[in-house]
Amino acid sequence: MLMPWLLSGLGLVILLFAGDALVKGAVNLSLRLGVPALIVSLTIVAFGTSAPELLISVKAILDGVPGLALGNVVGSNTANILMVLGIPALLATMHTSECRTRKTYNQMIAASLLFIALAFRGVFDWISGLILLSGLAYMLYDAFSDAKDHRRACRSGEVEEEEEPEGADPDMAGWQIALFLILGLIGLPLGASLLVDNATLIAQTYGVSDTVIGLTLVAVGTSLPELATTVMAALRRQADVALGNVIGSNMFNLLAIIGIASLVGPISVDEAFLRIDLWVMLGASLLLIPFVYLGRDITRLWGVALSALYGLYLLIILI
């Protein structure tokens, strides 16, 4: 019974490396072709970092285990707040009182409420998918408008110049760009196949639902890149990067991942989601209010509280 666990872990590792390779290749190819860094940051990087979750969700639907797809998204959003913000806060206080994230936070809450409302239809079908993708289009347009205003302010000297998008390397050779793209395009479906197939086997062996596996094993695994990014941001005192990473990731999970996946096939909503998991996700999101609106920092005490809450949630799910 050890083999499915090892293959699931291998699939996860392949997914993480392939997603990173695809982002690096796509970013540098776009910049080489003259696409503005602004557009690259808002589209390619955002979608590229969500590619593992998207591939997992699509593969799960095609394999007839849609609960794993939904569990992955809902579980990842909960993990992103309780685990991804909780664990780094144990290492260093994150001075989120200095961050200006109210607008994006409000958008995340709106996306969460829209997602919950659609879930009560009992299924995420193509209608739900189009609604979610419409919400994504609006938020991308709004982010694009804000970014243009920021660039205009940079040129006038009102604020500091923006950084290059993640993965940008002006000196990267053409063959390296091609290699990154090939590795990403081959690795993503391979990793998704390994992870979904073996996670499903684990669920069947232990008599738990694919939804539970999605909420736990797959959700924690796909939140590891966000955790690594947030840990580094906390150690570098970049609280805005840490908080923005979590909020942005959660919005993309809800609107883009399920929006696209529901166009591939219908995703039925388990009764347990409507009773527990969706509300836990929303409750975790609302826990950010003191940091976003009340000027609180995420101290080590908050880190202990958030991490403990996530541990308790996992325990309840598994029991």
Side-chain angles (χ1 to χ4, degrees):
M1 193 52 224
L2 180 62
M3 188 57 67
W5 286 95
L6 293 176
L7 290 175
S8 293
L10 176 62
L12 179 61
V13 170
I14 293 174
L15 270 173
L16 300 183
F17 278 103
D20 184 58
L22 183 63
V23 169
K24 286 182 179 177
V27 165
N28 288 286
L29 176 62
S30 301
L31 294 176
R32 182 74 62 89
L33 295 174
V35 179
L38 170 67
I39 305 298
V40 173
S41 297
L42 290 175
T43 55
I44 294 172
V45 174
F47 279 106
T49 52
S50 296
E53 288 93 333
L54 177 59
L55 264 291
I56 287 172
S57 296
V58 170
K59 178 73 167 59
I61 292 168
L62 293 176
D63 287 357
V65 282
L68 194 150
L70 198 57
N72 176 33
V73 166
V74 174
S76 289
N77 276 25
T78 302
N80 279 349
I81 294 173
L82 300 181
M83 179 183 77
V84 172
L85 288 179
I87 292 177
L90 297 175
L91 304 176
T93 295
M94 289 188 281
H95 297 284
T96 47
S97 57
E98 302 169 1
C99 302
R100 297 179 180 177
T101 54
R102 289 189 182 185
K103 184 177 181 179
T104 51
Y105 175 72
N106 290 340
Q107 290 177 339
M108 185 192 78
I109 294 298
S112 300
L113 294 174
L114 174 62
F115 186 85
I116 291 172
L118 291 173
F120 273 88
R121 296 177 66 240
V123 62
F124 284 95
D125 53 13
W126 65 271
I127 297 175
S128 301
L130 291 178
I131 292 173
L132 291 171
L133 290 175
S134 297
L136 175 68
Y138 167 76
M139 290 182 184
L140 282 176
Y141 172 77
D142 185 65
F144 179 69
S145 299
D146 286 347
K148 282 200 302 184
D149 292 340
H150 178 74
R151 170 163 286 188
R152 196 176 298 116
C154 288
R155 287 173 177 169
S156 64
E158 296 174 25
V159 296
E160 293 182 5
E161 185 63 44
E162 66 217 45
E163 296 181 0
E164 285 290 319
E166 179 184 340
D169 180 4
D171 300 321
M172 184 175 291
W175 68 267
Q176 289 179 299
I177 295 175
L179 180 61
F180 278 128
L181 289 172
I182 291 170
L183 290 175
L185 293 173
I186 293 175
L188 282 172
L190 174 63
S193 181
L194 278 173
L195 181 56
V196 171
D197 291 346
N198 288 281
T200 304
L201 183 59
I202 292 170
Q204 293 170 347
T205 302
Y206 288 97
V208 299
S209 68
D210 50 282
T211 299
V212 169
I213 292 295
L215 285 166
T216 54
L217 173 66
V218 180
V220 171
T222 54
S223 291
L224 291 179
E226 286 88 350
L227 177 60
T229 300
T230 307
V231 166
M232 293 309 299
L235 294 176
R236 293 170 181 166
R237 311 296 183 190
Q238 296 173 322
D240 54 338
V241 173
L243 198 55
N245 176 46
V246 166
I247 292 174
S249 177
N250 281 14
M251 282 198 294
F252 261 84
N253 281 347
L254 295 173
L255 300 177
I257 305 302
I258 294 300
I260 294 172
S262 59
L263 297 181
V264 176
I267 307 172
S268 57
V269 182
D270 191 279
E271 184 67 27
F273 272 100
L274 302 178
R275 286 187 288 103
I276 303 172
D277 302 300
L278 290 173
W279 303 110
V280 170
M281 180 188 75
L282 180 62
S285 300
L286 294 175
L287 285 176
L288 295 182
I289 287 178
F291 316 124
V292 175
Y293 277 99
L294 303 181
R296 307 285 186 186
D297 292 329
I298 306 181
T299 61
R300 285 186 171 86
L301 184 60
W302 273 107
V304 170
L306 293 173
S307 301
L309 283 173
Y310 188 61
L312 178 62
Y313 172 61
L314 289 180
L315 188 63
I316 292 172
I317 290 177
L318 295 173
I319 291 177

